[in-house]
Amino acid sequence: MSDAHQGWRAVAVGALQGWVRDASLRPVAHAPDTSAPPDGPHAQQARQGQEIAAHHTGGKHAHPAPGSYRVALGALALRVAPDINAPVLQRLAQGSLLEVLPQAPQAQFSAVQVDGQRGWVETQWLFPAF
């Protein structure tokens, strides 16, 4: 979806599709993370050549197994509850390290802990921290 039409651009974010004004978009450069990798369970599994399993709740969303993950989206909302309208505790920077908790996921949200603070984030914006 990249067609522009009279100042509007078709976009897709995860499973959502829609239109935004061209003026509200700006290019983003992705900078690779240069920090040392964590030594969590996913990193250990990857080094041993093991597959990293994801939780699947039977719905359309696959959820990550508990362990260390990084944030793939700048300003990802850490929310007080698994609801898009729930208050935001903080905004997480792209590349931030967090722990997915062994708590049952709710819809598209996973329970996480970041720097001692617990909350909920949208699962689609997480990737394993190797």
Side-chain angles (χ1 to χ4, degrees):
M1 293 179 71
S2 63
D3 296 337
H5 184 67
Q6 296 179 354
W8 290 86
R9 187 163 306 271
V11 296
V13 178
L16 299 176
Q17 296 183 6
W19 292 83
V20 296
R21 302 257 330 142
D22 279 340
S24 65
L25 299 174
R26 64 180 168 84
V28 176
H30 175 70
D33 182 21
T34 58
S35 63
D39 196 29
H42 287 125
Q44 293 168 6
Q45 286 176 306
R47 282 193 294 275
Q48 295 169 1
Q50 298 174 2
E51 182 177 329
I52 298 172
H55 289 307
H56 191 50
T57 60
K60 70 178 193 171
H61 301 285
H63 291 278
S68 297
Y69 287 80
R70 290 210 180 266
V71 173
L73 175 73
L76 179 64
L78 176 67
R79 299 184 180 277
V80 299
D83 184 316
I84 195 73
N85 297 312
V88 174
L89 294 166
Q90 67 174 297
R91 296 281 179 178
L92 304 174
Q94 183 175 0
S96 295
L97 184 64
L98 55 76
E99 289 292 316
V100 170
L101 303 173
Q103 185 171 341
Q106 303 290 320
Q108 75 266 26
F109 291 90
S110 290
V112 300
Q113 183 167 321
V114 182
D115 298 327
Q117 186 172 38
R118 291 180 178 225
W120 296 84
V121 297
E122 290 186 77
T123 305
Q124 68 180 344
W125 303 113
L126 304 178
F127 64 95
F130 294 108

mmCIF file with all atom_site columns, all heavy atoms in Angstrom, residues 102-129:
data_model
loop_
_atom_site.group_PDB
_atom_site.id
_atom_site.type_symbol
_atom_site.label_atom_id
_atom_site.label_alt_id
_atom_site.label_comp_id
_atom_site.label_asym_id
_atom_site.label_entity_id
_atom_site.label_seq_id
_atom_site.pdbx_PDB_ins_code
_atom_site.Cartn_x
_atom_site.Cartn_y
_atom_site.Cartn_z
_atom_site.occupancy
_atom_site.B_iso_or_equiv
_atom_site.pdbx_formal_charge
_atom_site.auth_seq_id
_atom_site.auth_comp_id
_atom_site.auth_asym_id
_atom_site.auth_atom_id
_atom_site.pdbx_PDB_model_num
ATOM 1   N N   . PRO A 1 102 ? 5.191  -14.221 32.008 1.00 0.00 ? 102 PRO A N   1
ATOM 2   C CA  . PRO A 1 102 ? 4.450  -15.467 31.755 1.00 0.00 ? 102 PRO A CA  1
ATOM 3   C C   . PRO A 1 102 ? 2.974  -15.337 32.135 1.00 0.00 ? 102 PRO A C   1
ATOM 4   O O   . PRO A 1 102 ? 2.379  -16.251 32.672 1.00 0.00 ? 102 PRO A O   1
ATOM 5   C CB  . PRO A 1 102 ? 5.181  -16.483 32.631 1.00 0.00 ? 102 PRO A CB  1
ATOM 6   C CG  . PRO A 1 102 ? 5.733  -15.692 33.754 1.00 0.00 ? 102 PRO A CG  1
ATOM 7   C CD  . PRO A 1 102 ? 6.075  -14.341 33.165 1.00 0.00 ? 102 PRO A CD  1
ATOM 8   N N   . GLN A 1 103 ? 2.398  -14.197 31.862 1.00 0.00 ? 103 GLN A N   1
ATOM 9   C CA  . GLN A 1 103 ? 0.991  -13.922 32.133 1.00 0.00 ? 103 GLN A CA  1
ATOM 10  C C   . GLN A 1 103 ? 0.209  -14.124 30.848 1.00 0.00 ? 103 GLN A C   1
ATOM 11  O O   . GLN A 1 103 ? 0.712  -13.846 29.766 1.00 0.00 ? 103 GLN A O   1
ATOM 12  C CB  . GLN A 1 103 ? 0.854  -12.485 32.625 1.00 0.00 ? 103 GLN A CB  1
ATOM 13  C CG  . GLN A 1 103 ? -0.517 -12.096 33.066 1.00 0.00 ? 103 GLN A CG  1
ATOM 14  C CD  . GLN A 1 103 ? -0.506 -10.718 33.741 1.00 0.00 ? 103 GLN A CD  1
ATOM 15  O OE1 . GLN A 1 103 ? 0.528  -10.235 34.170 1.00 0.00 ? 103 GLN A OE1 1
ATOM 16  N NE2 . GLN A 1 103 ? -1.660 -10.107 33.805 1.00 0.00 ? 103 GLN A NE2 1
ATOM 17  N N   . ALA A 1 104 ? -1.011 -14.596 30.963 1.00 0.00 ? 104 ALA A N   1
ATOM 18  C CA  . ALA A 1 104 ? -1.827 -14.840 29.770 1.00 0.00 ? 104 ALA A CA  1
ATOM 19  C C   . ALA A 1 104 ? -1.991 -13.563 28.963 1.00 0.00 ? 104 ALA A C   1
ATOM 20  O O   . ALA A 1 104 ? -2.351 -12.521 29.514 1.00 0.00 ? 104 ALA A O   1
ATOM 21  C CB  . ALA A 1 104 ? -3.195 -15.382 30.167 1.00 0.00 ? 104 ALA A CB  1
ATOM 22  N N   . PRO A 1 105 ? -1.695 -13.600 27.659 1.00 0.00 ? 105 PRO A N   1
ATOM 23  C CA  . PRO A 1 105 ? -1.885 -12.417 26.819 1.00 0.00 ? 105 PRO A CA  1
ATOM 24  C C   . PRO A 1 105 ? -3.368 -12.083 26.677 1.00 0.00 ? 105 PRO A C   1
ATOM 25  O O   . PRO A 1 105 ? -4.229 -12.940 26.849 1.00 0.00 ? 105 PRO A O   1
ATOM 26  C CB  . PRO A 1 105 ? -1.277 -12.831 25.479 1.00 0.00 ? 105 PRO A CB  1
ATOM 27  C CG  . PRO A 1 105 ? -1.205 -14.307 25.508 1.00 0.00 ? 105 PRO A CG  1
ATOM 28  C CD  . PRO A 1 105 ? -1.190 -14.738 26.930 1.00 0.00 ? 105 PRO A CD  1
ATOM 29  N N   . GLN A 1 106 ? -3.639 -10.832 26.376 1.00 0.00 ? 106 GLN A N   1
ATOM 30  C CA  . GLN A 1 106 ? -5.008 -10.352 26.181 1.00 0.00 ? 106 GLN A CA  1
ATOM 31  C C   . GLN A 1 106 ? -5.106 -9.718  24.799 1.00 0.00 ? 106 GLN A C   1
ATOM 32  O O   . GLN A 1 106 ? -4.471 -8.700  24.554 1.00 0.00 ? 106 GLN A O   1
ATOM 33  C CB  . GLN A 1 106 ? -5.364 -9.312  27.246 1.00 0.00 ? 106 GLN A CB  1
ATOM 34  C CG  . GLN A 1 106 ? -5.215 -9.798  28.669 1.00 0.00 ? 106 GLN A CG  1
ATOM 35  C CD  . GLN A 1 106 ? -6.261 -10.822 29.040 1.00 0.00 ? 106 GLN A CD  1
ATOM 36  O OE1 . GLN A 1 106 ? -7.424 -10.695 28.667 1.00 0.00 ? 106 GLN A OE1 1
ATOM 37  N NE2 . GLN A 1 106 ? -5.852 -11.866 29.732 1.00 0.00 ? 106 GLN A NE2 1
ATOM 38  N N   . ALA A 1 107 ? -5.876 -10.334 23.905 1.00 0.00 ? 107 ALA A N   1
ATOM 39  C CA  . ALA A 1 107 ? -6.020 -9.846  22.522 1.00 0.00 ? 107 ALA A CA  1
ATOM 40  C C   . ALA A 1 107 ? -4.649 -9.623  21.918 1.00 0.00 ? 107 ALA A C   1
ATOM 41  O O   . ALA A 1 107 ? -3.828 -10.524 21.914 1.00 0.00 ? 107 ALA A O   1
ATOM 42  C CB  . ALA A 1 107 ? -6.898 -8.608  22.475 1.00 0.00 ? 107 ALA A CB  1
ATOM 43  N N   . GLN A 1 108 ? -4.352 -8.398  21.441 1.00 0.00 ? 108 GLN A N   1
ATOM 44  C CA  . GLN A 1 108 ? -3.060 -8.131  20.801 1.00 0.00 ? 108 GLN A CA  1
ATOM 45  C C   . GLN A 1 108 ? -2.012 -7.626  21.789 1.00 0.00 ? 108 GLN A C   1
ATOM 46  O O   . GLN A 1 108 ? -0.954 -7.171  21.393 1.00 0.00 ? 108 GLN A O   1
ATOM 47  C CB  . GLN A 1 108 ? -3.221 -7.139  19.642 1.00 0.00 ? 108 GLN A CB  1
ATOM 48  C CG  . GLN A 1 108 ? -3.425 -5.693  20.068 1.00 0.00 ? 108 GLN A CG  1
ATOM 49  C CD  . GLN A 1 108 ? -4.867 -5.275  20.174 1.00 0.00 ? 108 GLN A CD  1
ATOM 50  O OE1 . GLN A 1 108 ? -5.747 -6.095  20.393 1.00 0.00 ? 108 GLN A OE1 1
ATOM 51  N NE2 . GLN A 1 108 ? -5.129 -3.993  20.022 1.00 0.00 ? 108 GLN A NE2 1
ATOM 52  N N   . PHE A 1 109 ? -2.269 -7.722  23.092 1.00 0.00 ? 109 PHE A N   1
ATOM 53  C CA  . PHE A 1 109 ? -1.353 -7.192  24.107 1.00 0.00 ? 109 PHE A CA  1
ATOM 54  C C   . PHE A 1 109 ? -0.643 -8.296  24.879 1.00 0.00 ? 109 PHE A C   1
ATOM 55  O O   . PHE A 1 109 ? -1.220 -9.332  25.178 1.00 0.00 ? 109 PHE A O   1
ATOM 56  C CB  . PHE A 1 109 ? -2.124 -6.325  25.107 1.00 0.00 ? 109 PHE A CB  1
ATOM 57  C CG  . PHE A 1 109 ? -2.622 -5.050  24.519 1.00 0.00 ? 109 PHE A CG  1
ATOM 58  C CD1 . PHE A 1 109 ? -3.877 -4.993  23.936 1.00 0.00 ? 109 PHE A CD1 1
ATOM 59  C CD2 . PHE A 1 109 ? -1.851 -3.901  24.525 1.00 0.00 ? 109 PHE A CD2 1
ATOM 60  C CE1 . PHE A 1 109 ? -4.357 -3.822  23.385 1.00 0.00 ? 109 PHE A CE1 1
ATOM 61  C CE2 . PHE A 1 109 ? -2.318 -2.725  23.978 1.00 0.00 ? 109 PHE A CE2 1
ATOM 62  C CZ  . PHE A 1 109 ? -3.572 -2.678  23.401 1.00 0.00 ? 109 PHE A CZ  1
ATOM 63  N N   . SER A 1 110 ? 0.612  -8.004  25.233 1.00 0.00 ? 110 SER A N   1
ATOM 64  C CA  . SER A 1 110 ? 1.401  -8.886  26.089 1.00 0.00 ? 110 SER A CA  1
ATOM 65  C C   . SER A 1 110 ? 1.782  -8.126  27.352 1.00 0.00 ? 110 SER A C   1
ATOM 66  O O   . SER A 1 110 ? 2.090  -6.936  27.303 1.00 0.00 ? 110 SER A O   1
ATOM 67  C CB  . SER A 1 110 ? 2.686  -9.329  25.383 1.00 0.00 ? 110 SER A CB  1
ATOM 68  O OG  . SER A 1 110 ? 2.395  -10.203 24.324 1.00 0.00 ? 110 SER A OG  1
ATOM 69  N N   . ALA A 1 111 ? 1.770  -8.845  28.484 1.00 0.00 ? 111 ALA A N   1
ATOM 70  C CA  . ALA A 1 111 ? 2.199  -8.269  29.755 1.00 0.00 ? 111 ALA A CA  1
ATOM 71  C C   . ALA A 1 111 ? 3.716  -8.228  29.767 1.00 0.00 ? 111 ALA A C   1
ATOM 72  O O   . ALA A 1 111 ? 4.375  -9.206  29.416 1.00 0.00 ? 111 ALA A O   1
ATOM 73  C CB  . ALA A 1 111 ? 1.679  -9.115  30.917 1.00 0.00 ? 111 ALA A CB  1
ATOM 74  N N   . VAL A 1 112 ? 4.274  -7.073  30.145 1.00 0.00 ? 112 VAL A N   1
ATOM 75  C CA  . VAL A 1 112 ? 5.727  -6.895  30.130 1.00 0.00 ? 112 VAL A CA  1
ATOM 76  C C   . VAL A 1 112 ? 6.196  -6.175  31.383 1.00 0.00 ? 112 VAL A C   1
ATOM 77  O O   . VAL A 1 112 ? 5.396  -5.596  32.124 1.00 0.00 ? 112 VAL A O   1
ATOM 78  C CB  . VAL A 1 112 ? 6.184  -6.102  28.884 1.00 0.00 ? 112 VAL A CB  1
ATOM 79  C CG1 . VAL A 1 112 ? 5.798  -6.814  27.591 1.00 0.00 ? 112 VAL A CG1 1
ATOM 80  C CG2 . VAL A 1 112 ? 5.646  -4.686  28.894 1.00 0.00 ? 112 VAL A CG2 1
ATOM 81  N N   . GLN A 1 113 ? 7.517  -6.213  31.586 1.00 0.00 ? 113 GLN A N   1
ATOM 82  C CA  . GLN A 1 113 ? 8.160  -5.433  32.638 1.00 0.00 ? 113 GLN A CA  1
ATOM 83  C C   . GLN A 1 113 ? 9.342  -4.713  32.025 1.00 0.00 ? 113 GLN A C   1
ATOM 84  O O   . GLN A 1 113 ? 10.140 -5.312  31.309 1.00 0.00 ? 113 GLN A O   1
ATOM 85  C CB  . GLN A 1 113 ? 8.617  -6.340  33.776 1.00 0.00 ? 113 GLN A CB  1
ATOM 86  C CG  . GLN A 1 113 ? 9.235  -5.568  34.918 1.00 0.00 ? 113 GLN A CG  1
ATOM 87  C CD  . GLN A 1 113 ? 9.385  -6.416  36.157 1.00 0.00 ? 113 GLN A CD  1
ATOM 88  O OE1 . GLN A 1 113 ? 8.525  -7.221  36.477 1.00 0.00 ? 113 GLN A OE1 1
ATOM 89  N NE2 . GLN A 1 113 ? 10.492 -6.232  36.851 1.00 0.00 ? 113 GLN A NE2 1
ATOM 90  N N   . VAL A 1 114 ? 9.426  -3.409  32.306 1.00 0.00 ? 114 VAL A N   1
ATOM 91  C CA  . VAL A 1 114 ? 10.506 -2.563  31.799 1.00 0.00 ? 114 VAL A CA  1
ATOM 92  C C   . VAL A 1 114 ? 11.062 -1.780  32.981 1.00 0.00 ? 114 VAL A C   1
ATOM 93  O O   . VAL A 1 114 ? 10.330 -1.035  33.624 1.00 0.00 ? 114 VAL A O   1
ATOM 94  C CB  . VAL A 1 114 ? 9.988  -1.561  30.736 1.00 0.00 ? 114 VAL A CB  1
ATOM 95  C CG1 . VAL A 1 114 ? 11.118 -0.718  30.189 1.00 0.00 ? 114 VAL A CG1 1
ATOM 96  C CG2 . VAL A 1 114 ? 9.257  -2.270  29.628 1.00 0.00 ? 114 VAL A CG2 1
ATOM 97  N N   . ASP A 1 115 ? 12.342 -1.960  33.267 1.00 0.00 ? 115 ASP A N   1
ATOM 98  C CA  . ASP A 1 115 ? 12.980 -1.232  34.372 1.00 0.00 ? 115 ASP A CA  1
ATOM 99  C C   . ASP A 1 115 ? 12.153 -1.302  35.656 1.00 0.00 ? 115 ASP A C   1
ATOM 100 O O   . ASP A 1 115 ? 11.949 -0.292  36.328 1.00 0.00 ? 115 ASP A O   1
ATOM 101 C CB  . ASP A 1 115 ? 13.230 0.231   33.983 1.00 0.00 ? 115 ASP A CB  1
ATOM 102 C CG  . ASP A 1 115 ? 14.169 0.358   32.800 1.00 0.00 ? 115 ASP A CG  1
ATOM 103 O OD1 . ASP A 1 115 ? 15.075 -0.496  32.677 1.00 0.00 ? 115 ASP A OD1 1
ATOM 104 O OD2 . ASP A 1 115 ? 13.999 1.296   31.999 1.00 0.00 ? 115 ASP A OD2 1
ATOM 105 N N   . GLY A 1 116 ? 11.619 -2.480  35.968 1.00 0.00 ? 116 GLY A N   1
ATOM 106 C CA  . GLY A 1 116 ? 10.849 -2.672  37.192 1.00 0.00 ? 116 GLY A CA  1
ATOM 107 C C   . GLY A 1 116 ? 9.398  -2.252  37.112 1.00 0.00 ? 116 GLY A C   1
ATOM 108 O O   . GLY A 1 116 ? 8.632  -2.463  38.044 1.00 0.00 ? 116 GLY A O   1
ATOM 109 N N   . GLN A 1 117 ? 8.973  -1.656  35.998 1.00 0.00 ? 117 GLN A N   1
ATOM 110 C CA  . GLN A 1 117 ? 7.582  -1.219  35.846 1.00 0.00 ? 117 GLN A CA  1
ATOM 111 C C   . GLN A 1 117 ? 6.831  -2.201  34.959 1.00 0.00 ? 117 GLN A C   1
ATOM 112 O O   . GLN A 1 117 ? 7.283  -2.539  33.875 1.00 0.00 ? 117 GLN A O   1
ATOM 113 C CB  . GLN A 1 117 ? 7.535  0.186   35.232 1.00 0.00 ? 117 GLN A CB  1
ATOM 114 C CG  . GLN A 1 117 ? 6.143  0.759   35.183 1.00 0.00 ? 117 GLN A CG  1
ATOM 115 C CD  . GLN A 1 117 ? 6.147  2.217   34.764 1.00 0.00 ? 117 GLN A CD  1
ATOM 116 O OE1 . GLN A 1 117 ? 6.922  2.630   33.916 1.00 0.00 ? 117 GLN A OE1 1
ATOM 117 N NE2 . GLN A 1 117 ? 5.274  3.007   35.362 1.00 0.00 ? 117 GLN A NE2 1
ATOM 118 N N   . ARG A 1 118 ? 5.684  -2.659  35.448 1.00 0.00 ? 118 ARG A N   1
ATOM 119 C CA  . ARG A 1 118 ? 4.863  -3.604  34.684 1.00 0.00 ? 118 ARG A CA  1
ATOM 120 C C   . ARG A 1 118 ? 3.780  -2.868  33.921 1.00 0.00 ? 118 ARG A C   1
ATOM 121 O O   . ARG A 1 118 ? 3.287  -1.842  34.360 1.00 0.00 ? 118 ARG A O   1
ATOM 122 C CB  . ARG A 1 118 ? 4.218  -4.634  35.615 1.00 0.00 ? 118 ARG A CB  1
ATOM 123 C CG  . ARG A 1 118 ? 5.222  -5.580  36.203 1.00 0.00 ? 118 ARG A CG  1
ATOM 124 C CD  . ARG A 1 118 ? 4.570  -6.576  37.124 1.00 0.00 ? 118 ARG A CD  1
ATOM 125 N NE  . ARG A 1 118 ? 5.583  -7.486  37.620 1.00 0.00 ? 118 ARG A NE  1
ATOM 126 C CZ  . ARG A 1 118 ? 5.425  -8.796  37.670 1.00 0.00 ? 118 ARG A CZ  1
ATOM 127 N NH1 . ARG A 1 118 ? 4.298  -9.345  37.303 1.00 0.00 ? 118 ARG A NH1 1
ATOM 128 N NH2 . ARG A 1 118 ? 6.401  -9.557  38.118 1.00 0.00 ? 118 ARG A NH2 1
ATOM 129 N N   . GLY A 1 119 ? 3.434  -3.437  32.770 1.00 0.00 ? 119 GLY A N   1
ATOM 130 C CA  . GLY A 1 119 ? 2.376  -2.862  31.956 1.00 0.00 ? 119 GLY A CA  1
ATOM 131 C C   . GLY A 1 119 ? 2.084  -3.761  30.773 1.00 0.00 ? 119 GLY A C   1
ATOM 132 O O   . GLY A 1 119 ? 2.471  -4.940  30.757 1.00 0.00 ? 119 GLY A O   1
ATOM 133 N N   . TRP A 1 120 ? 1.416  -3.215  29.782 1.00 0.00 ? 120 TRP A N   1
ATOM 134 C CA  . TRP A 1 120 ? 0.990  -3.961  28.595 1.00 0.00 ? 120 TRP A CA  1
ATOM 135 C C   . TRP A 1 120 ? 1.427  -3.220  27.344 1.00 0.00 ? 120 TRP A C   1
ATOM 136 O O   . TRP A 1 120 ? 1.319  -1.992  27.273 1.00 0.00 ? 120 TRP A O   1
ATOM 137 C CB  . TRP A 1 120 ? -0.530 -4.105  28.585 1.00 0.00 ? 120 TRP A CB  1
ATOM 138 C CG  . TRP A 1 120 ? -1.052 -4.914  29.732 1.00 0.00 ? 120 TRP A CG  1
ATOM 139 C CD1 . TRP A 1 120 ? -1.323 -4.472  30.996 1.00 0.00 ? 120 TRP A CD1 1
ATOM 140 C CD2 . TRP A 1 120 ? -1.354 -6.297  29.721 1.00 0.00 ? 120 TRP A CD2 1
ATOM 141 N NE1 . TRP A 1 120 ? -1.772 -5.510  31.758 1.00 0.00 ? 120 TRP A NE1 1
ATOM 142 C CE2 . TRP A 1 120 ? -1.808 -6.642  31.014 1.00 0.00 ? 120 TRP A CE2 1
ATOM 143 C CE3 . TRP A 1 120 ? -1.287 -7.294  28.736 1.00 0.00 ? 120 TRP A CE3 1
ATOM 144 C CZ2 . TRP A 1 120 ? -2.207 -7.933  31.345 1.00 0.00 ? 120 TRP A CZ2 1
ATOM 145 C CZ3 . TRP A 1 120 ? -1.680 -8.579  29.065 1.00 0.00 ? 120 TRP A CZ3 1
ATOM 146 C CH2 . TRP A 1 120 ? -2.126 -8.893  30.358 1.00 0.00 ? 120 TRP A CH2 1
ATOM 147 N N   . VAL A 1 121 ? 1.925  -3.968  26.349 1.00 0.00 ? 121 VAL A N   1
ATOM 148 C CA  . VAL A 1 121 ? 2.287  -3.392  25.055 1.00 0.00 ? 121 VAL A CA  1
ATOM 149 C C   . VAL A 1 121 ? 1.668  -4.234  23.946 1.00 0.00 ? 121 VAL A C   1
ATOM 150 O O   . VAL A 1 121 ? 1.343  -5.404  24.148 1.00 0.00 ? 121 VAL A O   1
ATOM 151 C CB  . VAL A 1 121 ? 3.822  -3.300  24.852 1.00 0.00 ? 121 VAL A CB  1
ATOM 152 C CG1 . VAL A 1 121 ? 4.459  -2.380  25.868 1.00 0.00 ? 121 VAL A CG1 1
ATOM 153 C CG2 . VAL A 1 121 ? 4.459  -4.670  24.869 1.00 0.00 ? 121 VAL A CG2 1
ATOM 154 N N   . GLU A 1 122 ? 1.552  -3.622  22.770 1.00 0.00 ? 122 GLU A N   1
ATOM 155 C CA  . GLU A 1 122 ? 1.057  -4.363  21.624 1.00 0.00 ? 122 GLU A CA  1
ATOM 156 C C   . GLU A 1 122 ? 2.159  -5.312  21.142 1.00 0.00 ? 122 GLU A C   1
ATOM 157 O O   . GLU A 1 122 ? 3.272  -4.901  20.830 1.00 0.00 ? 122 GLU A O   1
ATOM 158 C CB  . GLU A 1 122 ? 0.621  -3.411  20.512 1.00 0.00 ? 122 GLU A CB  1
ATOM 159 C CG  . GLU A 1 122 ? -0.647 -2.662  20.895 1.00 0.00 ? 122 GLU A CG  1
ATOM 160 C CD  . GLU A 1 122 ? -1.155 -1.847  19.747 1.00 0.00 ? 122 GLU A CD  1
ATOM 161 O OE1 . GLU A 1 122 ? -1.760 -2.428  18.821 1.00 0.00 ? 122 GLU A OE1 1
ATOM 162 O OE2 . GLU A 1 122 ? -0.941 -0.615  19.794 1.00 0.00 ? 122 GLU A OE2 1
ATOM 163 N N   . THR A 1 123 ? 1.812  -6.584  21.098 1.00 0.00 ? 123 THR A N   1
ATOM 164 C CA  . THR A 1 123 ? 2.756  -7.661  20.808 1.00 0.00 ? 123 THR A CA  1
ATOM 165 C C   . THR A 1 123 ? 3.447  -7.510  19.454 1.00 0.00 ? 123 THR A C   1
ATOM 166 O O   . THR A 1 123 ? 4.626  -7.839  19.325 1.00 0.00 ? 123 THR A O   1
ATOM 167 C CB  . THR A 1 123 ? 2.017  -9.013  20.854 1.00 0.00 ? 123 THR A CB  1
ATOM 168 O OG1 . THR A 1 123 ? 1.377  -9.117  22.141 1.00 0.00 ? 123 THR A OG1 1
ATOM 169 C CG2 . THR A 1 123 ? 2.950  -10.171 20.658 1.00 0.00 ? 123 THR A CG2 1
ATOM 170 N N   . GLN A 1 124 ? 2.754  -7.002  18.462 1.00 0.00 ? 124 GLN A N   1
ATOM 171 C CA  . GLN A 1 124 ? 3.312  -6.939  17.111 1.00 0.00 ? 124 GLN A CA  1
ATOM 172 C C   . GLN A 1 124 ? 4.582  -6.101  17.024 1.00 0.00 ? 124 GLN A C   1
ATOM 173 O O   . GLN A 1 124 ? 5.343  -6.200  16.065 1.00 0.00 ? 124 GLN A O   1
ATOM 174 C CB  . GLN A 1 124 ? 2.291  -6.403  16.129 1.00 0.00 ? 124 GLN A CB  1
ATOM 175 C CG  . GLN A 1 124 ? 1.945  -4.938  16.348 1.00 0.00 ? 124 GLN A CG  1
ATOM 176 C CD  . GLN A 1 124 ? 0.923  -4.447  15.362 1.00 0.00 ? 124 GLN A CD  1
ATOM 177 O OE1 . GLN A 1 124 ? 0.676  -5.081  14.352 1.00 0.00 ? 124 GLN A OE1 1
ATOM 178 N NE2 . GLN A 1 124 ? 0.307  -3.309  15.655 1.00 0.00 ? 124 GLN A NE2 1
ATOM 179 N N   . TRP A 1 125 ? 4.851  -5.254  18.036 1.00 0.00 ? 125 TRP A N   1
ATOM 180 C CA  . TRP A 1 125 ? 6.008  -4.374  18.003 1.00 0.00 ? 125 TRP A CA  1
ATOM 181 C C   . TRP A 1 125 ? 7.186  -4.904  18.808 1.00 0.00 ? 125 TRP A C   1
ATOM 182 O O   . TRP A 1 125 ? 8.101  -4.173  19.155 1.00 0.00 ? 125 TRP A O   1
ATOM 183 C CB  . TRP A 1 125 ? 5.624  -2.970  18.481 1.00 0.00 ? 125 TRP A CB  1
ATOM 184 C CG  . TRP A 1 125 ? 4.524  -2.394  17.668 1.00 0.00 ? 125 TRP A CG  1
ATOM 185 C CD1 . TRP A 1 125 ? 3.262  -2.122  18.075 1.00 0.00 ? 125 TRP A CD1 1
ATOM 186 C CD2 . TRP A 1 125 ? 4.579  -2.054  16.281 1.00 0.00 ? 125 TRP A CD2 1
ATOM 187 N NE1 . TRP A 1 125 ? 2.527  -1.622  17.023 1.00 0.00 ? 125 TRP A NE1 1
ATOM 188 C CE2 . TRP A 1 125 ? 3.315  -1.581  15.909 1.00 0.00 ? 125 TRP A CE2 1
ATOM 189 C CE3 . TRP A 1 125 ? 5.580  -2.119  15.314 1.00 0.00 ? 125 TRP A CE3 1
ATOM 190 C CZ2 . TRP A 1 125 ? 3.025  -1.158  14.625 1.00 0.00 ? 125 TRP A CZ2 1
ATOM 191 C CZ3 . TRP A 1 125 ? 5.290  -1.703  14.023 1.00 0.00 ? 125 TRP A CZ3 1
ATOM 192 C CH2 . TRP A 1 125 ? 4.024  -1.226  13.692 1.00 0.00 ? 125 TRP A CH2 1
ATOM 193 N N   . LEU A 1 126 ? 7.180  -6.213  19.106 1.00 0.00 ? 126 LEU A N   1
ATOM 194 C CA  . LEU A 1 126 ? 8.262  -6.839  19.862 1.00 0.00 ? 126 LEU A CA  1
ATOM 195 C C   . LEU A 1 126 ? 9.024  -7.832  18.990 1.00 0.00 ? 126 LEU A C   1
ATOM 196 O O   . LEU A 1 126 ? 8.416  -8.509  18.164 1.00 0.00 ? 126 LEU A O   1
ATOM 197 C CB  . LEU A 1 126 ? 7.709  -7.577  21.078 1.00 0.00 ? 126 LEU A CB  1
ATOM 198 C CG  . LEU A 1 126 ? 6.871  -6.756  22.051 1.00 0.00 ? 126 LEU A CG  1
ATOM 199 C CD1 . LEU A 1 126 ? 6.366  -7.638  23.180 1.00 0.00 ? 126 LEU A CD1 1
ATOM 200 C CD2 . LEU A 1 126 ? 7.652  -5.565  22.570 1.00 0.00 ? 126 LEU A CD2 1
ATOM 201 N N   . PHE A 1 127 ? 10.351 -7.912  19.199 1.00 0.00 ? 127 PHE A N   1
ATOM 202 C CA  . PHE A 1 127 ? 11.126 -8.953  18.539 1.00 0.00 ? 127 PHE A CA  1
ATOM 203 C C   . PHE A 1 127 ? 12.146 -9.494  19.547 1.00 0.00 ? 127 PHE A C   1
ATOM 204 O O   . PHE A 1 127 ? 12.576 -8.770  20.453 1.00 0.00 ? 127 PHE A O   1
ATOM 205 C CB  . PHE A 1 127 ? 11.790 -8.461  17.250 1.00 0.00 ? 127 PHE A CB  1
ATOM 206 C CG  . PHE A 1 127 ? 12.816 -7.379  17.441 1.00 0.00 ? 127 PHE A CG  1
ATOM 207 C CD1 . PHE A 1 127 ? 14.165 -7.688  17.560 1.00 0.00 ? 127 PHE A CD1 1
ATOM 208 C CD2 . PHE A 1 127 ? 12.450 -6.042  17.484 1.00 0.00 ? 127 PHE A CD2 1
ATOM 209 C CE1 . PHE A 1 127 ? 15.110 -6.688  17.728 1.00 0.00 ? 127 PHE A CE1 1
ATOM 210 C CE2 . PHE A 1 127 ? 13.388 -5.038  17.648 1.00 0.00 ? 127 PHE A CE2 1
ATOM 211 C CZ  . PHE A 1 127 ? 14.731 -5.377  17.768 1.00 0.00 ? 127 PHE A CZ  1
ATOM 212 N N   . PRO A 1 128 ? 12.487 -10.797 19.426 1.00 0.00 ? 128 PRO A N   1
ATOM 213 C CA  . PRO A 1 128 ? 13.400 -11.401 20.407 1.00 0.00 ? 128 PRO A CA  1
ATOM 214 C C   . PRO A 1 128 ? 14.727 -10.660 20.488 1.00 0.00 ? 128 PRO A C   1
ATOM 215 O O   . PRO A 1 128 ? 15.273 -10.224 19.485 1.00 0.00 ? 128 PRO A O   1
ATOM 216 C CB  . PRO A 1 128 ? 13.617 -12.816 19.876 1.00 0.00 ? 128 PRO A CB  1
ATOM 217 C CG  . PRO A 1 128 ? 12.443 -13.074 19.004 1.00 0.00 ? 128 PRO A CG  1
ATOM 218 C CD  . PRO A 1 128 ? 12.069 -11.750 18.404 1.00 0.00 ? 128 PRO A CD  1
ATOM 219 N N   . ALA A 1 129 ? 15.219 -10.516 21.715 1.00 0.00 ? 129 ALA A N   1
ATOM 220 C CA  . ALA A 1 129 ? 16.520 -9.894  21.957 1.00 0.00 ? 129 ALA A CA  1
ATOM 221 C C   . ALA A 1 129 ? 17.560 -11.002 22.021 1.00 0.00 ? 129 ALA A C   1
ATOM 222 O O   . ALA A 1 129 ? 17.570 -11.769 22.956 1.00 0.00 ? 129 ALA A O   1
ATOM 223 C CB  . ALA A 1 129 ? 16.492 -9.095  23.255 1.00 0.00 ? 129 ALA A CB  1
#
